[in-house]
Amino acid sequence: MSSAFHAQTDDQSEVVNRVIVMYLRCLVGDRPKSWLQWLPWAEFCYNTSYQTAVKCSPFHIVYGRDPPTLCSYQQGTDRVATVHKQLIARDEFMEDIKNRLLQAQVTMQSTHDKHRRSVHYEVGDWVG
């Protein structure tokens, strides 16, 4: 549990919170008025993403199986215009959020790399 007055949480919760905040920033960027309708898709993206710490997805941890795959929408396979619009919007959103998350990952990696220095040792450098 954490609060504004007692902000002690474990490191894992802090990492998850940062990831969720990153997802929400990607969502809210161009959609400040409609972000709430896309929130379930952000949850789906997080729950089905591979986590290196546990070597599987959160979905797999909870349900014991791999998450379902989403089939991409093939135009002309529906008979209802509303379904067509929703599936087109879903596919566009999923592609957009994927690109934004990759962009955020690259930004985080470059920020992290700024604090690292490259050190190379030659065989002759060792004092024996």
Side-chain angles (χ1 to χ4, degrees), residues 26-89:
C26 290
L27 281 168
V28 176
D30 292 339
R31 301 170 188 84
K33 293 184 180 181
S34 64
W35 67 272
L36 189 58
Q37 79 179 37
W38 298 109
L39 195 56
W41 287 111
E43 180 183 10
F44 178 82
C45 290
Y46 176 77
N47 286 332
T48 58
S49 64
Y50 182 80
Q51 307 289 320
T52 56
V54 292
K55 307 275 192 265
C56 62
S57 68
F59 185 94
H60 191 275
I61 291 171
V62 172
Y63 297 107
R65 61 183 171 87
D66 289 331
T69 57
L70 291 178
C71 299
S72 61
Y73 173 61
Q74 302 295 323
Q75 292 188 19
T77 58
D78 58 33
R79 296 186 181 128
V80 181
T82 305
V83 172
H84 171 76
K85 286 180 187 177
Q86 286 180 342
L87 291 174
I88 291 290

